[in-house]
Each structure stands twice: as structure tokens, then as C-alpha cells.
Amino acid sequence: MVVDGLPTQLGYLGLGVNDLSAWGTYAENILGIEALPPEDDGSLLLRMDEHHHRFILTEDARDDLVLIGWEVADEQNLKALTKRLDIAGIAHRQASDATLKRRRVVDLIEFDDPNGIATEAYCGPLINRAVPFNSPRRISGFLAGDQGLGHITMTVKSLDDSLHFYRDVLGLRMSDWIRPQPERGVESNLNLAFLHCNRRHHSMAFWQGEMPKRLHHFMLQANNLDDVGSTYYLCQQNNVAIDLSLGRHTNDQMLSFYMKSPSGFDVEFGWGAIEVDDENWTVQLHDNGSSWGHLPLEPH
């Protein structure tokens, strides 16, 4: 067994949202993921595969990303990651028993990323195979499991500082880069960095800049192309704003569209991304984000 402390997947996200009720309805009726009964502290957990939950929603006026959870293989790997944080001079805390109980994990450490985002590394998530995930909608489900919940794309204060943290300390691996994308109205001299920790092309992407929300979007990958099409039209039927039309990305080759969430950031809903084989993968550079589509739509 290799003990390197590297994350194996993007395990869960914490979202601080203004309207928990709206999110519960949106999660089940539009995204097709399951809203569990409210927790004792009022938070709302969302499930999309055999893991107990993948999203932790708390009431918060920021309507933004507030927590990132990275899974490692076991306790030994968590200790190895802790040592790397020590060497890098990054403060960390052992989670309390109450936090372990809330997260449904065996062990967990807490620290902050360079942008002030609360970050957790954990091992031993609660798996519920006795009650398989069954989407509230008539869709086939999601590609998650050992590839994690999907990916996130966000802005960062410093590209260099975030690369050092996520690549050099945390141990994510570079997938590729995309230059500024004029077809989407992006005016910047800075690249968009994509990093992976398993076969999923990227679990995280970021660029240096400021937007109203730290989180640009999170991505859910459906098991079936028809699920993307049906969700696209479901959004139109239910007046869920579509920010970017159907399109195919250049780097991960995902066929997807982007819809507005109740918090104002986007959710990418896609299918068909390529997977990374670290034995043969080489880092690439792309000068546009999409080979076709993904065009801004007028509000409807």
C-alpha cells in the first residue's frame, strides 16, 4: 500500500445558502439528487450516490461555497497529509467528535485554503449500500463513486498561491490549462488551471479574479446523455435560467449546459467526459473553452 496522503476524490461540498427550502426543491425536482431529512442543526444534506451525502447546505446569507471536503484512502494517508501541511507551515486542527459525527467519517482534519475557504481532509466516509441511491426524477443517476461528486470551478485571490497549495501541498495533479475565452466575454491575461486526483479529468478548476460569488459552478455528470437533454428542457419548462447553452468542452470533452442555482452561481449538468490515465497523460493547453456551443443565453 502506498502511503502518500494524496486526495482520492472531491468528497463533499459545503454551501452556505440563503434559502434551504428552495434548494431542497431545486435539488430533487431539477437536479435529480436526494434531499435528506433536515439535520438537528438545521442543515440540509444532499445525496447522489452510495455515499451518505455529497453536499452540506447551511443557512448563510453569502449564498456561496463555504467548505471543500477531500477524501484520502485511510488513517495512515491522513497522517501523511497532516505531515505535508506541517512542512508547508499550514495550520490544521483535529476534528472534534461532534464534527466526525456530523460528517459521518472515521477521521478528519480541518484547515483553510489560501482564499480563506474552510477545507477538510477525511477518511472512512459512511457508505449506504443497503439503500441504493434512487433519483427523485426519472433519470439514470450520476457518475460519482470513486471519482467523487464531480468538480468545482472558482475564482482565487492568487493563481500562484492556489497552485502551490492545491498542487504542491495537497497533491492534486495538473490536467491542463485554458487561456482566456473571448467567446464567453472573458477578458483576462490569466489562465484557467484544471487539476485532478483520480480518473475524472478535473475535480477542481480555478482562475485569479473576482466575481460576485467565489464559486462559479459545480458540475454533476449524468450516466446518460438523455438525462442532460431532459434536464435542459426541464429547466426551460420550470423557468430555471440557463446561463450557457448546450455545448462540448475542448479539454474534458464534456457535453453539458450551465443552469442558474437558487444561490446565483451555476450548476453544470453534463455527460461523456474523457478520463485521465496518469501513466499516459500529458498536460495540455487550450485557447478556448468549448469546441461548440456553451453560448450565453438571454434571460427567459
Side-chain angles (χ1 to χ4, degrees), residues 10-14 53-54 56 67-69 103 108 120 122 149:
L10 174 61
Y12 51 75
L13 294 179
H53 63 274
R54 291 295 197 172
I56 306 161
L67 172 68
I68 304 174
R103 297 290 187 262
L108 183 149
E120 297 176 351
Y122 68 93
L149 66 89

Side-chain angles (χ1 to χ4, degrees), residues 30-220:
I30 303 298
L31 300 181
I33 57 181
E34 181 183 0
L36 301 179
E39 297 284 276
D40 291 341
D41 63 1
S43 60
L44 181 66
L45 305 182
L46 304 180
R47 184 184 187 220
M48 58 180 289
D49 64 353
E50 64 187 11
H51 286 238
H52 181 270
H53 63 274
R54 291 295 197 172
F55 295 89
I56 306 161
L57 277 57
T58 54
E59 189 171 357
D60 190 321
R62 286 176 289 179
D63 262 337
D64 207 347
L65 176 69
V66 297
L67 172 68
I68 304 174
W70 298 98
E71 184 175 330
V72 299
D74 53 29
E75 294 94 327
Q76 288 178 291
N77 277 277
L78 193 59
K79 290 178 181 178
L81 176 57
T82 301
K83 290 180 180 179
R84 291 215 309 278
L85 294 174
D86 285 334
I87 293 170
I90 296 173
H92 55 83
R93 305 165 295 281
Q94 178 66 39
S96 67
D97 290 341
T99 298
L100 297 180
K101 183 178 179 180
R102 287 198 307 272
R103 297 290 187 262
R104 276 90 166 176
V105 299
V106 171
D107 202 2
L108 183 149
I109 57 172
E110 303 168 309
F111 46 100
D112 292 332
D113 90 337
N115 310 285
I117 299 173
T119 304
E120 297 176 351
Y122 68 93
C123 64
L126 178 61
I127 302 297
N128 191 0
R129 292 197 178 98
V131 183
F133 171 74
N134 186 26
S135 174
R137 289 182 50 209
R138 295 182 62 183
I139 60 175
S140 60
F142 301 95
L143 180 62
D146 62 5
Q147 291 195 30
L149 66 89
H151 73 238
I152 57 173
T153 298
M154 64 181 189
T155 60
V156 297
K157 297 177 182 177
S158 164
L159 186 66
D160 289 341
D161 289 348
S162 290
L163 277 174
H164 173 67
F165 176 81
Y166 283 106
R167 179 190 59 194
D168 304 333
V169 178
L170 203 59
L172 304 186
R173 303 179 290 282
M174 290 301 305
S175 298
D176 46 39
W177 298 80
I178 293 181
R179 283 178 174 149
Q181 303 163 56
E183 76 278 10
R184 297 193 204 169
V186 177
E187 300 290 341
S188 171
N189 293 321
L190 296 170
N191 284 340
L192 184 60
F194 295 79
L195 302 97
H196 67 276
C197 58
N198 52 48
R199 290 174 295 148
R200 191 181 294 281
H201 176 273
H202 60 282
S203 293
M204 167 169 281
F206 51 76
W207 77 95
Q208 182 175 315
E210 293 185 6
M211 294 183 66
K213 308 285 184 182
R214 170 73 65 190
L215 182 63
H216 181 270
H217 72 267
F218 66 79
M219 185 282 300
L220 303 179

